[in-house]
Amino acid sequence: MNHLLCWPEPVVRVQSLSDNGIRTVPDRYIKPVNDRPALLKPGSNIDEHVDIPVVDLRNLFGKDRALHDETLRRISSACRDWGFFQAVNHGVSHELMKHTRDAWREFFGLPLEVKQQYANSPSTYEGYGSRLGVERGAKLDWSDYFFLNYLPVTLRNQSKWPAQPTPCRELVAEYGAEVTKLCERLLKAMSISLGLREGHLQNALGGDNVGACLRVNFYPKCPQPELTLGLSSHSDPGCITVLLPDHDVAGLQVCNNGKWITVKPVPNAFIINVGDQIQVLSNAIYKSVEHRVIVNSEKDRVSLAFFYNPKGDIPIQPAEELVHEDRPALYNPMTFDEYRRYIRMNGPCGKKQIESLKSNV
């Protein structure tokens, strides 16, 4: 229990609240009126007939140059206009995706005392957690999670990964390796589509010394989903996020032109989104986008977010090739370690953090 005392208040597991059959959401989870999804029903500012682009990666770096170029164009368009897309034919085994997601669902179904062995602290967030940010009295999100480091290998500690269910550690290692390859391919594609050398973005992030981590989200059933959020509005602080959503329950919402779009997951697709560091490196040609998660009263959800990040001590700044007299550098340099420290202290907060990096041009 000492580990939990590192948080400003005693940690409450949201899954336990849900399993106990509460009929009203505790005040700590009730969002301000303007942030509640109840205000965003069809007919207000949710567009039910629009969705994020779907990009088929089958021909990316393939033999057919025309099809490859068309794939690059689609990736570029999605990154400019949406900051999000669903990737199909991405090269990661569908069976591996399913088995990994199923293993994590099984983990969250274990008795609380088993999961508590992995209770995390705000110092690293590694392990089993139920809040983001350390502000005392802050409004909380309706979710639990498990966070682990995957890269660099020196930070990877499988003894901190769940020992149950038995295949979990092996699946996470294999899944992480395959998703890392996908991130490397996507970075090459983004570099080329920005007019940069193929390896530019990868090298700017640290080459072979990049970071990566996995956060597995568990969104329990909620008695009053119109009052709260599974994850508050934010943009992702890293470079690329590869999300494996729940296969049959929608929950992710993306903000596009001031409207919240509920993403309808395509079977066996990954949801890819641009992180703040790519916005900085591209000098805001590609933009990270606010997104959030809604919950429901009928089903719980499990999703896996794989974050591909820069090496922590490298200053990240706009690529020189994308800085011109008519488009000066929009952001001041900052290391990812410094950048991430802010979000770990304050939790999800829209796009306030990246806005704070803007230079006075």
Side-chain angles (χ1 to χ4, degrees):
M1 289 297 291
N2 289 339
H3 218 152
L4 297 177
L5 297 178
C6 298
W7 295 101
E9 297 120 346
V11 172
V12 176
R13 303 304 181 189
V14 179
Q15 187 177 3
S16 297
L17 294 175
S18 179
D19 289 348
N20 286 338
I22 62 170
R23 296 188 177 185
T24 58
V25 171
D27 183 66
R28 289 297 306 276
Y29 301 91
I30 297 177
K31 300 298 181 182
V33 172
N34 290 340
D35 294 337
R36 295 178 194 171
L39 301 179
L40 306 171
K41 297 287 187 182
S44 58
N45 67 338
I46 277 190
D47 192 333
E48 296 290 334
H49 305 290
V50 179
D51 207 343
I52 63 174
V54 177
V55 180
D56 189 334
L57 302 183
R58 185 196 313 268
N59 296 300
L60 186 63
F61 301 111
K63 293 180 180 179
D64 189 316
R65 181 59 185 264
L67 292 175
H68 164 74
D69 288 347
E70 175 62 16
T71 307
L72 286 180
R73 188 195 68 75
R74 289 178 180 274
I75 291 172
S76 179
S77 176
C79 291
R80 289 170 186 263
D81 299 338
W82 283 88
F84 270 84
F85 61 93
Q86 296 198 63
V88 297
N89 294 313
H90 41 64
V92 179
S93 158
H94 297 169
E95 187 175 70
L96 175 62
M97 294 163 68
K98 179 183 185 302
H99 288 337
T100 306
R101 184 173 50 209
D102 288 350
W104 280 106
R105 180 172 284 282
E106 190 175 338
F107 169 79
F108 283 104
L110 292 172
L112 180 60
E113 58 269 21
V114 176
K115 293 177 289 192
Q116 286 289 85
Q117 297 172 23
Y118 302 97
N120 71 349
S121 77
S123 58
T124 67
Y125 276 81
E126 195 167 13
Y128 176 51
S130 297
R131 65 177 293 163
L132 302 169
V134 293
E135 179 187 346
R136 182 178 293 275
K139 293 292 184 181
L140 302 178
D141 290 331
W142 191 263
S143 58
D144 299 324
Y145 64 86
F146 197 103
F147 180 89
L148 59 87
N149 290 310
Y150 187 78
L151 291 175
V153 175
T154 51
L155 285 182
R156 189 187 305 174
N157 185 350
Q158 292 196 14
S159 68
K160 294 184 178 181
W161 302 1
Q164 298 180 54
T166 304
C168 189
R169 291 177 178 175
E170 182 180 338
L171 284 169
V172 168
E174 184 180 357
Y175 179 85
E178 293 303 309
V179 177
T180 295
K181 292 176 190 174
L182 173 59
C183 290
E184 291 168 352
R185 291 176 68 214
L186 290 172
L187 276 182
K188 286 182 182 179
M190 289 179 183
S191 291
I192 297 168
S193 63
L194 286 165
L196 303 170
R197 298 182 312 280
E198 180 181 281
H200 184 102
L201 291 177
Q202 185 75 46
N203 291 332
L205 302 177
D208 293 332
N209 298 308
V210 295
C213 49
L214 177 70
R215 189 179 71 221
V216 184
N217 306 296
F218 185 82
Y219 302 105
K221 291 181 289 187
C222 178
Q224 296 174 295
E226 70 279 4
L227 297 180
T228 189
L229 290 166
L231 188 56
S232 295
S233 176
H234 66 288
S235 60
D236 289 345
C239 302
I240 298 175
T241 302
V242 178
L243 179 74
L244 175 59
D246 202 296
H247 66 287
D248 65 351
V249 190
L252 175 66
Q253 291 188 330
V254 174
C255 189
N256 182 260
N257 294 323
K259 295 181 179 180
W260 287 105
I261 309 298
T262 300
V263 177
K264 294 170 274 297
V266 172
N268 300 314
F270 282 120
I271 299 173
I272 311 294
N273 67 280
V274 171
D276 292 346
Q277 306 306 308
I278 293 295
Q279 179 167 328
V280 171
L281 285 162
S282 71
N283 207 25
I285 295 173
Y286 291 169
K287 295 181 178 66
S288 62
V289 170
E290 282 190 66
H291 51 286
R292 66 184 189 182
V293 175
I294 57 175
V295 291
N296 69 81
S297 59
E298 302 298 323
K299 294 182 178 180
D300 55 33
R301 293 178 55 248
V302 174
S303 67
L304 284 67
F306 188 88
F307 303 104
Y308 197 75
N309 300 325
K311 187 173 184 288
D313 59 359
I314 297 176
I316 303 297
Q317 57 193 327
E320 290 182 10
E321 295 89 335
L322 303 178
V323 175
H324 312 287
E325 187 175 346
D326 59 345
R327 191 182 182 90
L330 298 177
Y331 304 100
N332 295 312
M334 178 181 280
T335 68
F336 187 61
D337 281 345
E338 294 173 293
Y339 196 82
R340 182 163 52 183
R341 192 175 303 120
Y342 177 98
I343 203 163
R344 286 184 170 178
M345 292 292 291
N346 296 284
C349 50
K351 294 203 65 168
K352 287 181 182 177
Q353 183 171 9
I354 192 165
E355 295 298 322
S356 74
L357 283 187
K358 282 191 171 178
S359 56
N360 296 317
V361 295

